[in-house]
Amino acid sequence: MPLITSTYNPSFPFTNTHINTIHKTLFFRGEINYARERITTPDDDFMDLDFSLTGSDTLVVAMHGLEGSSQSNYIISVTNYLNQQNFDVAAVNFRGCSGEDNRKIYAYNSGKTDDLDTILTYLTTNYDYQKIVLLGYSMGGNITLKYLGEQALRFPQVKCAIGVSVPCDLEGSSHALQAPQNKLYILRFLRSLIEKGVEKAEKYPDSILDADEIRRSKNFIDLDNSLTAPLFGFKDAFDYWQQSSSKQFLKDISIPTLVLSALDDTFLSESCYPFEIAQNHNSLYLETPKYGGHVGFNSPMWKSLNNWSERRIADFIKSWT
């Protein structure tokens, strides 16, 4: 498909990538009333889905990024907007992200697509939606794209998908996050992930985890070597990144899929923008605005109008459902 020319053209201050990235986190004040349902996984763990329903025949499955949840401001914002457009939303909380520790020593990772398959199995078994849309932000976008490309889609109800600010090359993104300009972001991620990792190591003292090694993590190489790789059976961080990156699976995506990633996103390396793959693809649409930050895409400061990415997502969904 041709690459999409974006209509996103913000004015100051949203031409600054960092302001765009942090604006919703600091200033968005949305409210939502979810109805929660708990899914039991095949390995006797659980995930929580938070529903916001309008009586639509279309369900959007919204997946958060690293250390996010259904309470992340960008998830609340898009859920409210999609509800206004008469779409139902199921906001995913990956394992350990709903405010309650999961039952297993392991939780989630950036390529754990079996949990998405479990979610879709639950939804198609317990609801009669004929149209389902997958929407993933950052890590959730990587999971979405990897899932769509790694196997033949088992659920014909899934009509289209959107990935926003997707680190589809995890190694490249991990290196990008080590840049000095991203120091505050990576410290925030590491603080939360190290705390959870140490808690798991202390809860399971006879496990492979070493609490002191986890505490010493200074970047994602350290953390994924000490936590993610041993928990999920990868040889090391590099093996985890290679196997879990969605980029290698993009060529096999068979339903209309939009990847929306800003060129000024400091979380993404050049390798995270699959220009060549999209140009020769029948189903993959790549939109790369000059500005946008990471999961930003803010527009005017006024709250009622500050919803460019939400509108773009809704428009893509309407085109294919």
Side-chain angles (χ1 to χ4, degrees):
M1 289 290 177
L3 303 179
I4 296 176
T5 300
S6 184
T7 63
Y8 181 64
N9 186 29
S11 56
F12 182 82
F14 295 125
T15 51
N16 181 288
T17 182
H18 299 294
I19 291 175
N20 223 334
T21 297
I22 67 175
H23 180 75
K24 271 196 176 77
T25 300
L26 295 181
F27 300 110
F28 178 78
R29 294 294 179 267
E31 296 182 358
I32 196 163
N33 292 314
Y34 287 125
R36 175 161 291 185
E37 295 184 21
R38 178 159 290 184
I39 298 176
T40 300
T41 61
D43 58 347
D44 195 32
D45 204 349
F46 69 88
M47 289 178 287
D48 289 325
L49 296 186
D50 287 334
F51 288 83
S52 185
L53 306 180
T54 65
S56 175
D57 63 350
T58 302
L59 178 70
V60 180
V61 181
M63 289 163 276
H64 59 80
L66 186 68
E67 286 302 273
S69 72
S70 65
Q71 295 296 328
S72 295
N73 286 345
Y74 55 90
I75 296 291
I76 293 175
S77 179
V78 76
T79 298
N80 281 332
Y81 186 81
L82 291 174
N83 284 168
Q84 292 168 16
Q85 301 300 306
N86 194 36
F87 294 117
D88 288 353
V89 177
V92 172
N93 296 279
F94 289 113
R95 303 188 193 210
C97 294
S98 62
E100 180 180 342
D101 191 18
N102 64 308
R103 300 187 189 114
K104 299 294 183 179
I105 187 172
Y106 51 84
Y108 67 91
N109 68 56
S110 293
K112 192 167 170 44
T113 52
D114 58 329
D115 281 350
L116 176 52
D117 193 75
T118 296
I119 290 166
L120 289 173
T121 299
Y122 176 85
L123 292 172
T124 55
T125 300
N126 292 278
Y127 292 87
D128 60 358
Y129 291 103
Q130 295 305 302
K131 293 181 283 188
I132 295 176
V133 178
L134 303 182
L135 169 62
Y137 287 84
S138 194
M139 180 199 74
N142 186 73
I143 290 172
T144 297
L145 299 180
K146 179 173 179 280
Y147 179 75
L148 291 176
E150 70 183 354
Q151 58 184 340
L153 189 60
R154 300 197 300 118
F155 303 98
Q157 298 94 327
V158 179
K159 302 302 183 185
C160 66
I162 303 104
V164 181
S165 301
V166 184
C168 60
D169 175 20
L170 294 174
E171 180 175 352
S173 178
S174 296
H175 290 313
L177 279 163
Q178 292 183 51
Q181 64 179 328
N182 289 324
K183 184 175 181 179
L184 291 178
Y185 304 128
I186 196 169
L187 286 176
R188 185 181 180 194
F189 284 133
L190 289 176
R191 185 181 303 115
S192 177
L193 290 164
I194 288 171
E195 180 180 349
K196 285 185 175 180
V198 169
E199 287 177 358
K200 291 289 191 181
E202 293 176 346
K203 186 175 181 180
Y204 299 91
D206 297 327
S207 74
I208 196 172
L209 297 181
D210 183 327
D212 290 334
E213 185 181 1
I214 295 169
R215 287 191 187 96
R216 290 193 295 268
S217 297
K218 302 297 182 184
N219 50 46
F220 280 119
I221 297 176
D222 295 341
L223 186 74
D224 287 334
N225 274 327
S226 63
L227 185 63
T228 314
L231 283 182
F232 292 97
F234 298 104
K235 290 183 290 187
D236 54 24
F238 296 98
D239 183 46
Y240 160 54
W241 296 338
Q242 194 281 321
Q243 292 197 48
S244 301
S245 294
S246 61
K247 190 173 183 178
Q248 62 195 306
F249 300 100
L250 297 180
K251 67 182 187 327
D252 296 317
I253 289 177
S254 60
I255 63 169
T257 300
L258 173 67
V259 176
L260 176 63
S261 294
L263 293 176
D264 70 345
D265 188 336
T266 62
F267 289 35
L268 305 183
S269 60
E270 288 186 14
S271 56
C272 289
Y273 299 92
F275 290 109
E276 185 175 347
I277 297 172
Q279 284 177 325
N280 299 290
H281 205 295
N282 290 325
S283 301
L284 186 67
Y285 298 81
L286 178 62
E287 184 169 347
T288 55
K290 181 178 180 181
Y291 305 109
H294 189 73
V295 192
F297 303 104
N298 298 283
S299 40
M301 296 293 287
W302 299 279
K303 180 179 178 181
S304 62
L305 298 175
N306 191 4
N307 56 13
W308 183 87
S309 63
E310 291 84 351
R311 286 185 281 116
R312 181 69 187 95
I313 289 164
D315 288 344
F316 188 81
I317 293 171
K318 291 173 184 177
S319 297
W320 297 104
T321 58

